[in-house]
Amino acid sequence: MNTTLETHINSFASVQKAIQNKTLTCAELVEHYLKVINEKNPSLNAFLEVYDEEAKAQAKIVDEKIQNGTAGKLAGMIVGLKDVLCHKDHKLGAASKMLEGFESQFDGTAVERLLKEDAIVIGRQNCDEFAMGSSNENSAFGATKNEIGTNRVPGGSSGGSAVAVQAGMCMVSLGSDTGGSVRQPAAFCGIVGLKPTYSRISRYGLIAFASSFDSIGIFANNAADVAITLEVIAGKDDNDSTVSQREVPKYSELLNKKSENNKKPKIAYIKETLHSEGLSEEIKAATVAKIEKLKSEGYEVEEVDFSLLKYALPTYYILITAEASTNLSRYDGVRYGFRSPNVTDLESMYKKTRTEGFGKEVKRRIMLGTFVLSASYYDAYFTKAQKVRRKIQEAMKELFTKYDFIISPTTPTTAFEIGKYEGETVELYLADLFTVPASVVGIPAISIPNGTDKEGLPIGLQIMGDYFSEDKLLAFADELIK
Ligand code: GLN
């Protein structure tokens, strides 16, 4: 690697400076990342497709724009996209056989905004099928491996996107987070992962899983790179009626304006997370150590009770399966991708296409969702879960009247071995124990690195903030990382 690249590659601000000083070009950057991908991707399986020629051609165009002074604000950012984001004239598969041969006819809003600011997309990234999973083992195209130990999972569902940043195969990845799919893999891979407030980023062009939870999320090496990316892709959009109309703050500038009045944020940690049965001793110790460190730096950190915590996971799994069963009804063999070749009539086409096209976990969720929505059980499960969701939301809102942030471990364990939980669905669902509360509530949450365990596996710290407090959240995360 040339020395310019080596000193700049971990921060977009530094890459941009080198580009401005004419010591680095986008062509060199793309060449560098393609080389790393060529070396590492065969064993890690993070990218399902690499756009080498296209990225090189785009780099040339962006380099010219830089010369002319017309380049966008993400010139020099090399990004990867999880295989659930529409990118015009590119394959899109949700890592499922069901979308075999499908190509997107348009750019999703987030992707369009990245491209407009001259980010260069280098490839399409592996994930759990239809973003359902916590280990990336549910991909129809093979598991993604954690770079730290290739016998380990990278987390999921956005595992490929996390590993791509972890292994230096791109600078920033866009993933999706419905219940933890950005934060949990970020924790397992030792990088930064943000799930913004629900509705902060348009969902137009994001393959729907559970629409009242789905959020596009961002992976990067640091908070500043997340901030500038969020600033570009967030905000109102005529193509998504649920997206927030709020102004998008200049997150990247606010990052450096923190603690102007020297007032330190007030922090809480939830008792029930630290005393949770499944929490590994080492993660507990790392979290407690962080709490003590914050206290010693003058932060007010208090323990709070949140007895509803235990209902968050069941509430999540009732609601998301219900929404998934509805959203995935569109894959019927008529409109998208795969159709079973063994059909005799219309009904057998639906049945066989769905039986052969979907993987096991997706089918399990469709069936569960159909069950909780069925006439005899609708009130007992779906309506009840909606009510519990509201209660959790209200309790969380109450906490944010007193505290600026709530911290917890991101995950109960570090990256586990591939195959460890085969056939043990509930064990895998428990990987989301600490991430689903923010999803049920719709608040922003970020995972940042918090040391490693004895085996050298990364530990994540999750910071949750109030609705639309991404500016404060990113500034605080930045401070903790430094
Ligand atoms: N692991 C969680 C699940 O399987 C989260 C998925 C996600 O956020 N897309 O539902």
Side-chain angles (χ1 to χ4, degrees), residues 365-382:
R365 294 193 189 199
I366 291 173
M367 286 191 272
L368 269 171
T370 311
F371 174 74
V372 302
L373 289 177
S374 59
S376 354
Y377 293 100
Y378 189 93
D379 281 341
Y381 293 105
F382 187 71

Side-chain angles (χ1 to χ4, degrees), residues 131-134 157 177-181 209 316-317 365 432:
M132 298 177 190
S134 307
S157 64
D177 189 314
T178 301
S181 280
F209 163 9
Y316 171 80
Y317 273 98
R365 294 193 189 199
D432 307 319

Side-chain angles (χ1 to χ4, degrees), residues 47-220:
F47 281 93
L48 295 172
E49 200 180 351
V50 181
Y51 309 136
D52 26 17
E53 291 313 316
E54 190 186 333
K56 282 186 207 162
Q58 196 54 33
K60 242 190 190 160
I61 296 173
V62 180
D63 278 333
E64 270 163 30
K65 285 193 184 175
I66 293 168
Q67 291 279 344
N68 306 334
T70 56
K73 89 183 191 197
L74 297 185
M77 184 179 277
I78 314 298
V79 301
L81 303 177
K82 179 176 179 180
D83 192 19
V84 292
L85 291 157
C86 291
H87 184 192
K88 190 172 192 293
D89 298 331
H90 291 76
K91 281 193 191 144
L92 179 68
S96 177
K97 187 177 169 191
M98 188 54 108
L99 284 167
E100 207 167 61
F102 181 77
E103 270 189 19
S104 181
Q105 290 159 12
F106 64 96
D107 282 324
T109 303
V111 174
E112 184 183 50
R113 291 179 182 174
L114 284 184
L115 295 173
K116 195 160 161 255
E117 291 298 338
D118 289 325
I120 296 172
V121 178
I122 203 151
R124 182 165 63 89
Q125 296 160 332
N126 203 358
C127 56
D128 283 304
E129 185 179 4
F130 283 100
M132 298 177 190
S134 307
S135 65
N136 223 109
E137 291 164 290
N138 297 337
S139 166
F141 303 97
T144 301
K145 317 283 166 56
N146 194 317
E147 196 199 17
I148 292 173
T150 50
N151 60 335
R152 302 267 167 182
V153 304
S157 64
S158 316
S161 309
V163 171
V165 171
Q166 173 197 37
M169 298 193 266
C170 63
M171 195 179 290
V172 166
S173 298
L174 290 195
S176 66
D177 189 314
T178 301
S181 280
V182 166
R183 291 161 284 156
Q184 186 251 16
F188 278 13
C189 294
I191 60 171
V192 180
L194 171 78
K195 177 202 95 74
T197 307
Y198 175 78
S199 84
R200 181 68 291 190
I201 301 174
S202 165
R203 287 182 292 115
Y204 181 67
L206 166 66
I207 291 183
F209 163 9
S211 307
S212 77
F213 293 79
D214 293 342
S215 305
I216 289 177
I218 303 163
F219 292 98

Side-chain angles (χ1 to χ4, degrees), residues 376-393:
S376 354
Y377 293 100
Y378 189 93
D379 281 341
Y381 293 105
F382 187 71
T383 310
K384 185 74 159 280
Q386 294 282 37
K387 289 182 181 163
V388 179
R389 183 178 199 182
R390 174 57 66 91
K391 286 223 171 301
I392 297 173
Q393 281 169 340

Side-chain angles (χ1 to χ4, degrees), residues 340-447:
S340 168
N342 318 308
V343 302
T344 46
D345 55 19
L346 186 66
E347 194 173 328
S348 81
M349 181 190 69
Y350 290 152
K351 278 192 183 158
K352 290 202 166 138
T353 297
R354 288 170 71 79
T355 306
E356 294 163 26
F358 287 133
K360 212 168 151 189
E361 181 60 22
V362 174
K363 279 191 267 199
R364 175 182 292 123
R365 294 193 189 199
I366 291 173
M367 286 191 272
L368 269 171
T370 311
F371 174 74
V372 302
L373 289 177
S374 59
S376 354
Y377 293 100
Y378 189 93
D379 281 341
Y381 293 105
F382 187 71
T383 310
K384 185 74 159 280
Q386 294 282 37
K387 289 182 181 163
V388 179
R389 183 178 199 182
R390 174 57 66 91
K391 286 223 171 301
I392 297 173
Q393 281 169 340
E394 279 165 4
M396 196 66 103
K397 265 195 205 152
E398 176 70 29
L399 280 183
F400 283 112
T401 60
K402 298 195 198 96
Y403 301 97
D404 298 288
F405 304 113
I406 299 170
I407 56 175
S408 75
T410 308
T411 56
T413 70
T414 49
F416 43 86
E417 278 163 14
I418 294 177
K420 180 171 179 192
Y421 295 123
E422 212 179 322
E424 294 177 54
T425 311
V426 175
E427 294 299 324
L428 270 172
Y429 289 1
L430 284 170
D432 307 319
L433 196 59
F434 303 139
T435 51
V436 295
S439 309
V440 167
V441 178
I443 50 174
I446 191 166
S447 180

